[in-house]
Amino acid sequence: APPEVFYNQDEAEKYAGNSRMIEIQSAMSERAIELMCLPETPCLVLDVGCGSGISGGVLSEFGHTWIGLDISPFMLQVAKSREAEGDIMLSDIGQGFGFRAGTFDG
């Protein structure tokens, strides 16, 4: 099914505005950063399925730069409205992407 079935404008806004969802997503992001064992120096991280940019916000808080990819234009609109600090792009990861191997630290 196309992404609009699951994340139309209304659903995207509800997801990004749900305080419980933000809390869970932030905690999971902090754990993912821990598991990546990134150095304390700023790193470049790829956020696949970045959605509304919640995880990217956590990456930014930790001092990292990030590039986010998501299949839903509505989720990316929410990320833009939240003033996500990373670069975000509409992309279907199933179709691959044009970054060279070794571009990202995590």
Side-chain angles (χ1 to χ4, degrees):
E4 297 81 27
V5 170
F6 302 103
Y7 288 109
N8 58 32
Q9 187 66 41
D10 290 336
E11 292 300 318
E13 288 175 4
K14 279 194 277 186
Y15 179 91
N18 182 314
S19 60
R20 181 76 176 130
M21 188 62 64
I22 293 168
E23 180 183 328
I24 292 168
Q25 186 69 37
S26 296
M28 289 181 3
S29 299
E30 289 176 13
R31 180 67 174 137
I33 292 168
E34 181 183 332
L35 291 171
M36 284 190 286
C37 299
L38 297 172
E40 291 189 24
T41 58
C43 294
L44 179 60
V45 179
L46 179 63
D47 185 355
V48 178
C50 68
S52 61
I54 295 170
S55 295
V58 175
L59 286 164
S60 295
E61 288 174 12
F62 276 75
H64 302 300
T65 302
W66 58 280
I67 296 174
L69 308 176
D70 202 279
I71 195 171
S72 170
F74 300 108
M75 291 297 274
L76 294 177
Q77 286 174 2
V78 171
K80 287 179 185 176
S81 71
R82 295 180 75 240
E83 299 181 0
E85 293 182 27
D87 294 324
I88 55 175
M89 296 184 280
L90 182 65
S91 180
D92 179 351
I93 197 66
Q95 302 299 314
F97 50 88
F99 298 109
R100 289 191 285 168
T103 299
F104 299 97
D105 301 306

